[in-house]
Amino acid sequence: MTDSYVMGRNSAETQRLQVQANLLAPHTAHLFRLAGVSPGMRVLDIGCGAGDVSMLLAELVGPAGSVIGVDVDPVVLDLARTRAAEAGLTTVSFVHADLTELQLDEPVDALVGRLILMHLREPAATVRTLSRLVRSGGVVSFQDYVLSRTRAVPATPLVTRTVRWVVEAMRAGGANPDIGEQIASILSDAGLSVLGAASTGAGGGADSVVPELFAATARSVLPTALAHGVVAETDVDIDGLAGQLARELKEASALGWPPELVAAWARVR
């Protein structure tokens, strides 16, 4: 599988992912519990990155369970292993593998992923292939964004403009920033029995992490935006963007809302 990660692979992006993970952690845990992830399970976490979701899952499945994190990037997996070791999590392991070629020594009880489907060229086909690693009756659940719902309330010009070009750039780079609302259909197309879906979001204001996180997202996608002519470099003050977003929100007495996080879950027949 060709690496189609439109956000780039560098230390700044890895740091952005960890900031994002801290914001999403309670919502991710809630959605996985709704999906049926429970103590004692053996869970496969695909597109695990620096290990934030894998480590969260380790807490959910407890000492009797285990988690296998998989990613195509060996550098970020080294960081994931270090972080898990520092956290004393002995039930988490990490595997470097192409998702379409992954093999396990025994089936897992659950297959999960957060913010990975948007980067897959053929999400339903990939989920169908990976679901063969799940035992009969096991859980398959994914969480992803509806990124275009990032907004300020009331609306503000810089937030609106930045959301627009970030979404356009991700689409130009081959990602689907609004794939969250399609997860249930993807699971169904993968041959799974869909049981439910839910959405959640983390709110915030001008003094929250939201301006920082969204500016970091814009920084990660900026090379793609420039390469596809979505925005000109002179139109974006990327180094000052976080401060500009925070000031705009404060002056407008507006709240900055991150994207909606949507989950759906299914059983393997």
Side-chain angles (χ1 to χ4, degrees), residues 14-191:
T14 299
Q15 183 178 7
R16 182 193 74 85
L17 290 173
Q18 292 178 57
V19 172
Q20 175 177 257
N22 289 335
L23 182 69
L24 295 181
H27 308 280
T28 292
H30 171 66
L31 292 172
F32 278 145
R33 289 190 185 99
L34 287 178
V37 175
S38 58
M41 279 188 165
R42 184 172 187 245
V43 183
L44 177 62
D45 172 27
I46 68 163
C48 67
D52 292 281
V53 172
S54 297
M55 292 189 289
L56 182 152
L57 287 163
E59 299 294 333
L60 294 181
V61 301
S66 61
V67 181
I68 304 167
V70 180
D71 204 279
V72 73
D73 182 0
V75 176
V76 80
L77 284 176
D78 286 341
L79 175 60
R81 293 186 182 100
T82 298
R83 296 177 71 209
E86 291 175 347
L89 295 173
T90 60
T91 58
V92 181
S93 61
F94 296 97
V95 176
H96 175 228
D98 186 306
L99 296 182
T100 61
E101 300 173 359
L102 179 63
Q103 297 184 17
L104 300 177
D105 55 358
E106 60 180 305
V108 295
D109 300 305
L111 162 68
V112 305
R114 184 183 73 185
L115 305 180
I116 178 65
L117 295 181
M118 69 166 67
H119 299 290
L120 301 181
R121 302 302 190 200
E122 298 180 314
T126 302
V127 172
R128 183 182 301 112
T129 297
L130 290 169
S131 67
R132 295 168 185 160
L133 302 173
V134 184
R135 67 170 175 80
S136 177
V139 175
V140 177
S141 182
F142 287 88
Q143 302 177 12
D144 227 302
Y145 275 155
V146 183
L147 192 65
S148 64
R149 291 183 190 163
T150 306
R151 64 203 185 279
V153 181
T156 60
L158 183 59
V159 171
T160 300
R161 184 167 64 251
T162 306
V163 170
R164 183 181 301 115
W165 71 254
V166 167
V167 168
E168 289 179 3
M170 291 188 70
R171 292 191 188 282
N176 183 345
D178 286 344
I179 202 168
E181 56 193 7
Q182 301 169 22
I183 298 176
S185 296
I186 289 169
L187 296 181
S188 179
D189 291 344

Side-chain angles (χ1 to χ4, degrees), residues 241-254:
L241 184 58
Q244 293 168 7
L245 290 170
R247 285 193 298 274
E248 182 180 72
L249 291 171
K250 184 176 182 179
E251 291 170 1
S253 298

